[in-house]
Amino acid sequence: MEVLKVQGLKVWFPVRKGLLDVLLGRQEFVRAVDGVSFNVSRGETFCLVGESGCGKTTTARAIMMLIDRGDVRGGKVLFKPREEVLSEIKKLQPSAIVDSGYVDVLATRGQANKLIRREIQLIFQDPFGSINPRMRVYDVVEEPLIIHGIGSREEREEAVAKALEAVKLSASDFMYRFPHQLSGGQRQRVAIARTLVLNPSLLLADEPVSMLDVSIRAEILQVLDELKKTRGMSVIFITHDIALARYICDRIGVMYLGKIVEIARADEIVENPKHPYTKALISAVPDVVPENRKVLRNVPIKGEVPSAVRIPVGCRFRPRCVAFDENPGIQEKCRKEEPGLLRVGEEHYSACWLN
Amino acid sequence: MKAREEGIIISVARSLRGGLREVLSSNLGKAGVAILLFMIVMSAYSLYVLPSDFPEKWKYPTRPPWVFNPRNAQPQWVELFGAKVADTAIFSNLRADREGIVLSPDALLRLAPEAERALGVGRPVFIGYAMVFRTSYTLDNAAYPQDVISLFKVETSEKVNKSRIGVVVLMYITRPDNIVLKTAEERLTLATLDYVKIDQGAFASPYISHFKLNISEDEMRTLYYIAVFGKPVGKDFEPLQGEYQITLLLLFTGIDPREVQSLVRNGDIRISAEVRVFGTSYGLLGTDNYGRDLFQGILFGFPVALAVGFLVSLAIVAIGLTLGVVSGYFGGRVDEIIQRTVDIIANIPLLPLLILVGVAIQTRGYVGWPALAVIMFILVIFSWGGVAIISRSMALSIKSEPYVEAAKALGASSARIVFRHILPQLIPYAMAALVFGVPGAILAEAGLSVLGIDHGLPTWGRILADAQANRGIAYHMWWWVLPPGILLGLFSFAFVALGFTLETIVEPRLRRR
């Protein structure tokens, strides 16, 4: 059963206009997310993989309702909260509830919106920036409880201690430290503890380990994995590292220039990639075989990412596609029509005319 | 709500404590704190010592108490540096040391021998009741005191009709060379008996003939104090040092002497005198051209300077910080309105406007505190822009910090984000801006005073302005110009020093250690 359904999500940011644009009535947009759809099941870890600038983080921010509503130009984010939250929202804002227990997240207002925020939490990429340097660990982890008015002072203290223990930080040691007294890994664990105190049903992790030393990554991933298992949370894990994604995710969605180009179970996508972009991503993963260390690998991709303001007509991957050059017969179609996600196997979809 | 306020208070307290420690760790900071403490102590002292109507008194320099002070007097301590000044002496609460009924000239002379020896007076014949007051003054420097004034305090019971009792007041000065000068003779009543000064004409003619001087009587009059306290040497005079005896003789006329005597003995008439010898030095900081005690004026300036500086600066920072943070955090139309307002305000020339406002409040008749309040108000209204621009840019950069986004993701309200996440970061900057703003306000006030905008209060700027208005005499009257000038400088220095040390907290890269 899906806990989250993202349907045709579009986030377009207006480009600041010059005088000429105003005179000509022109308005251009950065199409950061340009029609993204995917589902996340309960207890599942879903990965969004793609290079920087492809819209992974914007997708996460849109789900988190951190994007100005005006910039969300289409699509829906449907979320199934817990029963008690759902019944509350039914009272507060019935119009936000679409069929069978799903809440249209982007339509929620006021208190209903605040309730939804309790259910969806985000771990940021940068543990050095995502914690207020002037607040002690205790204040940081307690803040969500205060915001949502949960518990008495004693209860909150207990909840904070529990959350810190859950991320393997000794509460008595760390509670009254300032962030600058912590290492990167410890900070990220504090950030995770902050999301945990509210006991959310969906956790978004936006590259939570990419700013950490390699030696610390494993322990953070372990903490996340354990939490997911013990609490039955669903996780959306955002990363640019497809090898990492394979290691922790159940399913992987590969994003390119604001769109998901391939989506499949983790093993399937790595072992049997269908989309030329996925193939390129996978072949770029360093080889673990020592002999091949110094072999220059041939990554099947060319050129640079085009600007998100002027996305190519037809297949958006076309200008960088090696398969496009190798298959002259298909070029006409690639130039004119954009491929949708086509079923290419069990639970495996790819957006390429070659399939 | 409670928790949020508590959080702010704690973080403010934390920044304050940290700030103080940082300030005290540098010599510049220590100097600043020391001067500030001095200012605060002086302000407290001033509020304790000066009467509440002091500004009102200061405003009218030709009225008491200033007319009973020597004019243009130097500070008394210049004597320690070898300056030749005559001390100002005040002999207050003098009681009559002799009294009696005068029925013959001999009787009068027994009471006051000076009456006969006074040059050229001859033997006065008075029949009446007489009181004699005496005191002595020592001139121990080669300088001329400027004047001698005798003040009388008359208390009577209801029985006495004061305007019916006539009094002839005679003032004699017995010089160290045993010459007696009759320096005043006035016919008054008990009702009008307030003070007598040296009468320039009273002794001119006998003085000239006694010393066989070759000068006119008019010339003698203008030289009266030189004549009283000096002796002719050739064509010139030089100060006569030694002990001077000052005798006041009060003769009651128009009433039976026995009646006056019994009234006096029964305490129905009580008269005490105060003799003031106006030297050329007075008090701690001397006097101005009206005889106003500059020390008192300066003293009054302390609390005013602190209050004006802090209030203006506090208001500037409070308004600037609030509007800046609102502008930066909420953005959009609000931001646009606030920033354009700042642009407009920043481009209105403040000085001409202030002069205009100053003239307006003067013609409208606002004086004293209301006038000062208007000037402060204008200063605030036109000065918050800088703080607003900086706090806006700081709010903008803090707003895009991931931790603010994280708070938003947690569902925090705008108020919580502003108060809990943005403002605490701005507090060190606000402190520095506050401290740096204080001297600006004070100097602006002083500048306006010098430019002639008179709010009527004795501030340091106002005293400087008075000195400047009397530039002819003020240029050598350093005690009029230097103290307010130095204090203004010191005051500014203290806050700039504090500001610089606080700046290292705002901008840790400036730290030396």
Side-chain angles (χ1 to χ4, degrees):
Chain A
M1 191 192 49
E2 285 87 17
V3 70
L4 184 79
K5 296 199 272 194
V6 178
Q7 299 175 340
L9 184 68
K10 283 185 181 172
V11 181
W12 293 8
F13 299 109
V15 178
R16 192 149 189 144
K17 287 192 278 190
L19 183 62
L20 194 64
D21 299 321
V22 176
L23 290 176
L24 298 175
R26 235 171 18 195
Q27 175 65 66
E28 290 185 317
F29 292 96
V30 175
R31 285 142 76 182
V33 178
D34 198 20
V36 162
S37 307
F38 63 89
N39 297 332
V40 180
S41 307
R42 199 168 285 286
E44 182 190 32
T45 303
F46 179 78
C47 276
L48 274 178
V49 181
E51 61 201 342
S52 26
C54 75
K56 320 177 289 266
T57 300
T58 309
T59 307
R61 282 164 45 93
I63 296 169
M64 288 305 301
M65 301 160 280
L66 288 173
I67 306 268
D68 280 352
R69 282 169 211 266
D71 290 334
V72 179
R73 311 265 164 178
K76 278 198 167 117
V77 176
L78 302 179
F79 172 69
K80 185 168 200 162
R82 258 172 271 218
E83 270 312 312
E84 62 264 29
V85 175
L86 190 65
S87 59
E88 274 288 305
I89 291 174
K90 233 175 221 161
K91 275 184 242 158
L92 289 163
Q93 196 186 349
S95 61
I97 297 177
V98 273
D99 62 307
S100 57
Y102 283 95
V103 177
D104 184 350
V105 166
L106 300 178
T108 53
R109 296 273 186 277
Q111 281 299 311
N113 181 278
K114 208 170 165 184
L115 275 173
I116 289 292
R117 288 192 191 275
R118 262 172 80 165
E119 287 281 279
I120 311 178
Q121 286 296 321
L122 174 65
I123 300 169
F124 287 82
Q125 175 177 9
D126 175 10
F128 296 89
S130 66
I131 297 174
N132 189 335
R134 287 174 181 267
M135 287 165 77
R136 291 170 194 270
V137 168
Y138 177 79
D139 301 318
V140 172
V141 181
E142 189 196 24
E143 189 172 25
L145 297 171
I146 294 174
I147 290 171
H148 291 280
I150 298 169
S152 65
R153 186 172 274 270
E154 292 76 37
E155 285 165 342
R156 287 204 300 267
E157 202 170 328
E158 208 185 305
V160 170
K162 251 188 204 160
L164 287 176
E165 300 289 350
V167 293
K168 304 201 167 61
L169 286 177
S170 149
S172 54
D173 269 7
F174 286 94
M175 243 189 207
Y176 298 105
R177 290 206 196 173
F178 278 104
H180 67 259
Q181 296 166 307
L182 306 179
S183 72
Q186 286 167 338
R187 281 180 198 223
Q188 195 59 298
R189 280 186 282 173
V190 169
I192 295 172
R194 172 171 64 184
T195 62
L196 289 181
V197 279
L198 291 173
N199 205 12
S201 40
L202 176 64
L203 187 63
L204 280 80
D206 184 4
E207 309 224 22
V209 294
S210 67
M211 301 257 307
L212 301 178
D213 289 350
V214 181
S215 55
I216 304 165
R217 288 184 183 182
E219 66 177 305
I220 295 291
L221 293 173
Q222 236 166 10
V223 165
L224 277 175
D225 196 47
E226 217 177 285
L227 289 171
K228 192 190 91 175
K229 279 180 186 137
T230 53
R231 303 196 177 205
M233 273 188 299
S234 311
V235 179
I236 296 176
F237 195 94
I238 291 167
T239 177
H240 58 264
D241 184 350
I242 200 162
L244 176 65
R246 182 193 188 181
Y247 166 68
I248 46 174
C249 295
D250 301 315
R251 283 193 309 136
I252 292 176
V254 178
M255 273 188 88
Y256 178 76
L257 210 56
K259 209 152 194 174
I260 291 185
V261 293
E262 186 165 9
I263 194 164
R265 281 190 299 101
D267 293 341
E268 168 77 11
I269 213 166
V270 173
E271 275 151 29
N272 187 16
K274 291 291 189 196
H275 196 279
Y277 180 62
T278 318
K279 285 179 187 163
L281 275 186
I282 288 167
S283 60
V285 174
D287 202 327
V288 289
V289 181
E291 288 87 76
N292 295 344
R293 213 160 28 124
K294 289 188 173 160
V295 177
L296 264 178
R297 272 163 304 121
N298 186 19
V299 178
I301 195 161
K302 58 177 190 179
E304 289 290 325
V305 194
S307 154
V309 178
R310 288 187 190 79
I311 292 177
V313 186
C315 177
R316 61 186 62 206
F317 186 58
R318 175 173 48 87
R320 304 185 68 192
C321 189
V322 177
F324 175 78
D325 296 339
E326 289 164 355
N327 298 279
I330 206 170
Q331 284 181 355
E332 193 58 25
K333 204 173 186 187
C334 293
R335 279 210 184 90
K336 283 189 174 149
E337 262 184 87
E338 178 157 33
L341 279 172
L342 305 169
R343 189 168 190 276
V344 292
E346 200 193 331
E347 279 188 61
H348 191 162
Y349 301 84
S350 163
C352 180
W353 292 125
L354 271 178
N355 298 312
Chain B
M1 199 66 196
K2 190 99 204 332
R4 182 200 301 160
E5 284 160 12
E6 211 174 81
I8 294 166
I9 291 165
I10 289 172
S11 61
V12 169
R14 210 179 275 151
S15 328
L16 277 178
R17 202 179 49 196
L20 194 64
R21 196 180 303 138
E22 181 74 25
V23 165
L24 286 178
S25 71
S26 78
N27 286 334
L28 200 60
K30 272 182 208 152
V33 169
I35 297 170
L36 185 61
L37 279 179
F38 167 71
M39 300 278 166
I40 291 169
V41 168
M42 291 306 281
S43 300
Y45 176 68
S46 150
L47 294 176
Y48 176 69
V49 170
L50 294 179
S52 56
D53 63 344
F54 179 75
E56 188 66 19
K57 279 187 185 160
W58 188 268
K59 214 169 83 188
Y60 299 106
T62 52
R63 293 185 191 169
W66 314 121
V67 286
F68 303 132
N69 280 350
R71 294 173 178 185
N72 306 331
Q74 301 185 45
Q76 233 154 24
W77 43 260
V78 295
E79 212 173 346
L80 300 176
F81 298 97
K84 302 240 182 295
V85 288
D87 290 335
T88 292
I90 299 170
F91 308 99
S92 55
N93 222 9
L94 297 175
R95 295 278 164 195
D97 60 355
R98 292 178 197 189
E99 52 94 25
I101 293 171
V102 182
L103 291 174
S104 65
D106 289 338
L108 178 65
L109 291 178
R110 274 199 295 282
L111 279 177
E114 298 88 345
E116 191 209 10
R117 289 161 61 200
L119 288 171
V121 171
R123 291 195 165 200
V125 180
F126 277 109
I127 310 274
Y129 174 75
M131 285 172 103
V132 179
F133 299 80
R134 276 171 218 273
T135 187
S136 66
Y137 168 79
T138 309
L139 181 64
D140 46 14
N141 250 332
Y144 300 105
Q146 303 175 34
D147 205 343
V148 177
I149 183 169
S150 305
L151 299 128
F152 297 97
K153 202 165 92 188
V154 182
E155 290 167 290
T156 55
S157 69
E158 287 152 23
K159 271 198 253 177
V160 183
N161 182 353
K162 288 206 284 186
S163 52
R164 204 172 59 85
I165 303 175
V167 184
V168 177
V169 185
L170 291 143
M171 178 160 70
Y172 300 102
I173 295 178
T174 311
R175 298 163 30 121
D177 56 6
N178 259 344
I179 292 171
V180 178
L181 298 176
K182 185 179 78 176
T183 51
E185 176 174 349
E186 285 206 50
R187 284 159 202 285
L188 303 163
T189 67
L190 259 194
T192 58
L193 180 65
D194 48 4
Y195 68 91
V196 292
K197 292 174 114 174
I198 292 182
D199 179 353
Q200 299 161 12
F203 58 89
S205 147
Y207 193 90
I208 291 170
S209 57
H210 179 85
F211 285 108
K212 302 182 180 66
L213 295 174
N214 191 20
I215 52 176
S216 73
E217 214 165 296
D218 284 343
E219 213 174 334
M220 190 75 249
R221 282 165 189 266
T222 60
L223 292 174
Y224 70 96
Y225 61 94
I226 292 177
V228 173
F229 293 102
K231 59 171 189 267
V233 176
K235 284 193 160 185
D236 238 339
F237 285 88
E238 71 181 27
L240 180 65
Q241 298 179 40
E243 196 176 307
Y244 288 81
Q245 199 81 40
I246 297 155
T247 309
L248 296 167
L249 177 60
L250 265 56
L251 284 165
F252 292 78
T253 57
I255 186 171
D256 184 345
R258 278 178 292 267
E259 197 188 330
V260 185
Q261 187 168 44
S262 73
L263 284 172
V264 171
R265 289 198 172 150
N266 294 335
D268 290 317
I269 297 176
R270 284 187 304 277
I271 299 176
S272 66
E274 181 172 311
V275 173
R276 290 177 173 225
V277 180
F278 288 3
T280 52
S281 69
Y282 181 87
L284 263 178
L285 291 177
T287 61
D288 66 8
N289 61 330
Y290 290 111
R292 289 185 291 194
D293 183 357
L294 285 169
F295 177 70
Q296 287 184 39
I298 295 282
L299 199 58
F300 188 83
F302 278 98
V304 177
L306 276 181
V308 168
F310 266 111
L311 284 179
V312 169
S313 189
L314 202 67
I316 286 173
V317 170
I319 295 174
L321 200 67
T322 314
L323 291 182
V325 169
V326 165
S327 176
Y329 180 73
F330 290 101
R333 197 167 297 170
V334 180
D335 183 27
E336 203 66 30
I337 291 171
I338 293 175
Q339 291 311 309
R340 292 300 78 78
T341 313
V342 169
D343 289 347
I344 293 168
I345 283 172
N347 284 298
I348 293 177
L350 181 56
L351 201 59
L353 188 88
L354 274 168
I355 292 173
L356 210 66
V357 167
V359 172
I361 53 180
Q362 262 169 300
T363 49
R364 288 237 159 205
Y366 289 116
V367 275
W369 298 110
L372 189 63
V374 171
I375 291 172
M376 285 163 69
F377 179 75
I378 300 278
L379 278 178
V380 170
I381 289 301
F382 286 91
S383 312
W384 56 269
V387 178
I389 288 172
I390 292 175
S391 20
R392 172 180 178 264
S393 71
M394 289 175 84
L396 271 180
S397 79
I398 295 167
K399 178 185 151 186
S400 56
E401 291 280 339
Y403 59 82
V404 171
E405 185 132 271
K408 270 190 213 161
L410 290 169
S413 60
S414 294
R416 184 177 176 86
I417 290 172
V418 167
F419 284 111
R420 196 81 176 88
H421 293 284
I422 295 183
L423 275 182
Q425 317 277 348
L426 289 180
I427 283 168
Y429 162 69
M431 291 293 178
L434 180 73
V435 165
F436 269 129
V438 170
I442 276 304
L443 292 180
E445 187 274 321
L448 290 175
S449 294
V450 173
L451 284 175
I453 291 164
D454 190 0
H455 46 65
L457 294 173
T459 59
W460 297 337
R462 190 65 233 157
I463 290 170
L464 273 180
D466 286 342
Q468 197 238 9
N470 294 290
R471 56 181 75 103
I473 35 177
Y475 280 166
H476 68 268
M477 289 172 69
W478 53 267
W479 58 93
W480 198 357
V481 183
L482 285 187
I486 288 172
L487 279 172
L488 279 170
L490 208 62
F491 191 81
S492 302
F493 168 75
F495 283 94
V496 170
L498 286 177
F500 272 129
T501 43
L502 280 176
E503 213 171 33
T504 61
I505 305 169
V506 187
E507 181 52 273
R509 276 177 296 179
L510 292 175
R511 270 178 222 187
R512 301 226 176 89
R513 278 155 286 141

